[in-house]
Amino acid sequence: MHPFDRALDLRTIDTGLVRGATEPQWANMVGPFGGITAAALLRAVETHPDRIGDPLALTVNYAAPIADGEFDITLRAARTNRSNQHWIAELRQGDEVKTTATALFGLHRDTWTDIEALLPKSAAPEDIPRGNFFEGVVWANRYDMRFTEGAIPEDGVLSDSSITTLWVRDELERPLDFAALAAISDIFYPRVFLRRGGYVPAGTISLTTYFHADKAQIDAVGSDFVLGSAHANAFSRGYFDQSAHLWSRDGALLTSTHQLVYFKD
Amino acid sequence: MHPFDRALDLRTIDTGLVRGATEPQWANMVGPFGGITAAALLRAVETHPDRIGDPLALTVNYAAPIADGEFDITLRAARTNRSNQHWIAELRQGDEVKTTATALFGLHRDTWTDIEALLPKSAAPEDIPRGNFFEGVVWANRYDMRFTEGAIPEDGVLSDSSITTLWVRDELERPLDFAALAAISDIFYPRVFLRRGGYVPAGTISLTTYFHADKAQIDAVGSDFVLGSAHANAFSRGYFDQSAHLWSRDGALLTSTHQLVYFKD
């Protein structure tokens, strides 16, 4: 089984209760990669028998580090409408809440469409060497990342801009799906590293992703690279936010994603 | 009592259960203004005896229209850490969930600070006449809005840009606080109206706001205008997202806010 699917291998214990386990290949410096936790929560909803429609919005709040081992996800549809559904989920280990989430699923219908966000200009991924990531960050090895702007900063080299743009795909070329998109939406290392020229203590505390793509658009991407670009808005008294977009190679906006990050500096 | 405070006048029924009522002065076309609901949910957490710190992030999911009359908000701290706290809340009428929310509160500490988002250029609010809003939208009368870009579109006049920039303050010059900031973060009418040249059926289904300002910065704004600027990222198969910033007149970024909106067109 692919390491992504192993991390999302959830067993139904009861109605609204599934059990999973951390997967060592997705380890971050403390606990698992936030993106894999977001993906597991999304997958828990996706595979619930009452679920209708596709993921539209996902908010994941990282309340405490997840320890290595098993975790339980409780989830329920707080409201089911004709065309959409509002979910609430919590991830626990023992009695401790480690993560909370809300998810909005819904049906798509044909409407006027337009993309206003600007696709970043960049060379083709085939023309860019595979990049390095911070040492000891195991999950980063699950991805083939090719930075066109704002790669991992050299120690002490401060940048005026917090923008990182990169091509990214699954290292083993697993085809994209909603859960994989949820994970990749958290792939951008904390923008404060770029601004401050290296590692400072930092961690995502809340992550929201909007899914613009439907299943057909995601299937069309297959195992190709997607282009991601992230930037920060403001750093203020212990917290900053960063926003990002993920694009298909042919210019479809797949997700818009935002997060609030704590930092010490 | 000011209509904003009346809308946020919550009575404690039990630990983790408060009761409020819709306030006619905040009526939208269907149900109350989403911003006032966000403010009421934030206020419920703010006034909970266990609350620590200031609002950092708020996600509100609009699951169904709130009917005129009383509503109950249930809330609990899912996790309390040393410096932050994760809340889950639900707004119900009878047995029906109308709104779900998660809120992150936390302590501020002195760190390196910087604002990367660009303050929109605009004339002073004193040099711009008070703008009109869509007819029949009662809540809009609670604000003095002065548009510098992307005012209410004339019927049939399509715009290439979804950007609206405006100065806004409470009509009665009630001083700003966190709850008022939460409300104003939802003040931007659906961007699809601007692009499509008038009203189309549309409604916010999920709203996330990050609070960059602490209490001292908010108090410094007092009852002055704040500058808001919003834009859409993508319109796709029944849904679009819009992102916005709120600024103080002296250029402090107060909030970054994002929402997913359904539409028919």
Side-chain angles (χ1 to χ4, degrees):
Chain A
M1 204 186 276
H2 186 285
F4 188 81
D5 297 300
R6 209 153 55 225
L8 266 58
D9 189 20
L10 304 172
R11 188 157 47 97
T12 300
I13 305 295
D14 203 345
T15 311
L17 173 61
V18 299
R19 184 162 295 160
T22 58
E23 161 56 46
Q25 292 210 45
W26 291 94
N28 203 349
M29 293 169 92
V30 179
F33 169 46
I36 202 75
T37 303
L41 286 155
L42 192 79
R43 178 56 55 83
V45 177
E46 276 187 308
T47 52
H48 192 288
D50 297 342
R51 186 263 305 172
I52 59 165
D54 290 333
L56 300 176
L58 174 70
T59 292
V60 179
N61 301 289
Y62 300 92
I66 297 170
D68 292 344
E70 288 196 333
F71 56 80
D72 284 349
I73 296 173
T74 54
L75 69 159
R76 67 185 163 87
R79 177 96 191 184
T80 299
N81 296 311
R82 208 166 41 204
S83 65
N84 69 36
Q85 198 171 41
H86 289 264
W87 291 85
I88 296 179
E90 288 180 53
L91 187 153
R92 289 169 196 257
Q93 291 184 305
D95 290 339
E96 286 191 87
V97 174
K98 298 298 181 77
T99 322
T100 68
T102 61
L104 171 63
F105 278 59
L107 304 177
H108 286 97
R109 58 180 176 280
D110 289 330
T111 56
W112 173 74
T113 65
D114 189 60
I115 298 175
E116 275 197 42
L118 294 176
L119 179 71
K121 283 189 179 43
S122 65
E126 290 76 10
D127 296 334
I128 302 167
R130 186 168 172 177
N132 295 319
F133 209 72
F134 295 94
E135 258 189 71
V137 178
V138 176
W139 67 263
N141 299 316
R142 302 289 73 75
Y143 292 111
D144 178 346
M145 301 192 210
R146 304 185 182 203
F147 293 91
T148 71
E149 186 179 9
I152 303 303
E154 288 179 56
D155 264 351
V157 178
L158 280 63
S159 171
D160 286 342
S161 158
S162 68
I163 298 175
T164 285
T165 304
L166 79 166
W167 291 102
V168 55
R169 69 174 171 193
D170 181 272
E171 187 202 24
L172 302 174
E173 301 190 34
R174 178 187 179 281
L176 201 65
D177 55 20
F178 284 108
L181 262 183
I184 295 174
S185 292
D186 191 35
I187 206 171
F188 308 94
Y189 64 85
R191 303 295 85 205
V192 72
F193 294 3
L194 202 50
R195 295 297 310 278
R196 303 300 286 162
Y199 174 84
V200 301
T204 302
I205 42 182
S206 188
L207 168 71
T208 290
T209 298
Y210 300 135
F211 297 86
H212 302 297
D214 60 15
K215 187 169 183 306
Q217 281 178 296
I218 294 174
D219 288 347
V221 174
S223 57
D224 195 10
F225 285 94
V226 298
L227 184 68
S229 188
H231 67 275
N233 294 300
F235 304 81
S236 178
R237 303 204 65 209
Y239 307 92
F240 68 91
D241 66 330
Q242 57 187 62
S243 293
H245 293 307
L246 294 181
W247 305 83
S248 70
R249 196 193 285 245
D250 61 1
L253 186 59
L254 304 171
T255 71
S256 299
T257 177
H258 312 282
Q259 59 180 265
L260 191 74
V261 185
Y262 87 88
F263 76 105
K264 290 184 184 173
D265 190 19
Chain B
M1 203 186 274
H2 186 286
F4 187 80
D5 297 301
R6 209 153 56 226
L8 267 56
D9 189 19
L10 304 171
R11 187 158 47 98
T12 299
I13 305 296
D14 203 347
T15 310
L17 172 61
V18 299
R19 184 163 296 159
T22 58
E23 161 54 48
Q25 292 210 46
W26 290 96
N28 204 349
M29 294 171 92
V30 179
F33 169 46
I36 202 74
T37 304
L41 287 156
L42 192 78
R43 178 56 56 83
V45 177
E46 276 187 306
T47 53
H48 192 287
D50 296 343
R51 186 262 307 171
I52 60 164
D54 291 331
L56 300 175
L58 174 70
T59 293
V60 179
N61 302 290
Y62 300 93
I66 297 170
D68 292 344
E70 288 196 331
F71 56 80
D72 285 348
I73 296 172
T74 55
L75 69 160
R76 68 185 162 87
R79 176 98 191 181
T80 299
N81 296 312
R82 208 168 41 206
S83 64
N84 69 35
Q85 198 173 40
H86 289 263
W87 291 85
I88 298 180
E90 288 181 53
L91 186 154
R92 289 170 196 255
Q93 292 185 306
D95 290 339
E96 286 190 86
V97 175
K98 298 297 181 77
T99 322
T100 68
T102 61
L104 172 63
F105 278 59
L107 304 177
H108 286 98
R109 59 180 174 278
D110 289 331
T111 56
W112 173 75
T113 65
D114 189 60
I115 298 176
E116 276 197 41
L118 294 176
L119 179 69
K121 282 190 181 43
S122 65
E126 290 76 10
D127 297 334
I128 302 167
R130 185 167 170 179
N132 295 316
F133 210 72
F134 295 95
E135 260 190 68
V137 177
V138 176
W139 68 261
N141 298 316
R142 303 289 73 75
Y143 293 110
D144 179 346
M145 302 192 210
R146 305 186 181 203
F147 293 91
T148 72
E149 185 179 10
I152 304 302
E154 288 180 55
D155 264 351
V157 179
L158 280 64
S159 171
D160 285 343
S161 157
S162 68
I163 298 175
T164 285
T165 304
L166 80 166
W167 291 102
V168 57
R169 70 174 168 192
D170 181 271
E171 187 202 23
L172 303 174
E173 302 189 33
R174 178 188 180 279
L176 201 65
D177 55 17
F178 284 110
L181 262 184
I184 295 174
S185 292
D186 191 33
I187 206 170
F188 309 94
Y189 65 83
R191 305 293 85 205
V192 70
F193 293 3
L194 203 49
R195 296 296 312 277
R196 304 300 285 162
Y199 175 82
V200 301
T204 303
I205 41 183
S206 188
L207 169 70
T208 290
T209 299
Y210 300 136
F211 297 86
H212 301 297
D214 60 16
K215 187 168 181 307
Q217 282 179 294
I218 293 174
D219 288 347
V221 175
S223 57
D224 195 10
F225 285 93
V226 298
L227 184 68
S229 189
H231 67 275
N233 293 301
F235 302 82
S236 178
R237 303 204 66 208
Y239 307 92
F240 68 91
D241 67 331
Q242 57 187 62
S243 292
H245 293 308
L246 293 182
W247 304 83
S248 70
R249 197 194 285 246
D250 61 0
L253 186 59
L254 304 171
T255 71
S256 300
T257 178
H258 311 283
Q259 58 180 266
L260 191 74
V261 185
Y262 87 87
F263 77 106
K264 289 185 186 175
D265 190 18

